[in-house]
Amino acid sequence: MFDPSHFEVVEWDDQDDDDGNLAHCLHHGVTERVVSGVLWQNPVEIRLPSTEADFVIVGPDRQWDNLWTVLFVISPTRGDWLRPLTGWPATPAQRAAWERATQLTWPPKQ
């Protein structure tokens, strides 16, 4: 079971690395702030078929404006670092899995 407190650092490649994980995630709208929010705002681990990710997490961003799916691997640099691979706005099925696990409704009631 995924527990973000088991990880010390979120590992990002240099901003100038066009082939790095930061550039790839930004291309999909996944910022460092989105990743931070997903990790600490009611994250739920789900399973996706045919993925090489160690963890697939669904959760809201910090403002609870959007629900995101973010894929991570454990960093080859250190076992207590997480490395984001990619992400996207949560699909309806991913949203439903998050709702089942958290017993919350998305979008949140105002």
Side-chain angles (χ1 to χ4, degrees), residues 2 4 6 8 11 15 19 31 38 43-44 47 53 58 64-65 67 71 73 77 79 82 86 91 100 104 110:
F2 177 77
H6 290 160
E8 293 264 332
E11 182 181 41
Q15 199 168 354
D19 295 322
T31 65
V38 168
V44 170
R47 300 276 180 227
V58 177
W64 284 68
D65 291 333
L67 199 62
L71 284 66
V73 293
T77 305
L82 273 178
T86 193
T91 66
R100 279 191 304 277
L104 297 170
Q110 298 293 322

Side-chain angles (χ1 to χ4, degrees), residues 54-74:
D54 293 317
F55 303 106
V56 180
I57 308 303
V58 177
D61 57 20
R62 287 184 181 188
Q63 296 81 19
W64 284 68
D65 291 333
N66 295 294
L67 199 62
W68 293 89
T69 299
V70 181
L71 284 66
F72 295 92
V73 293
I74 297 171

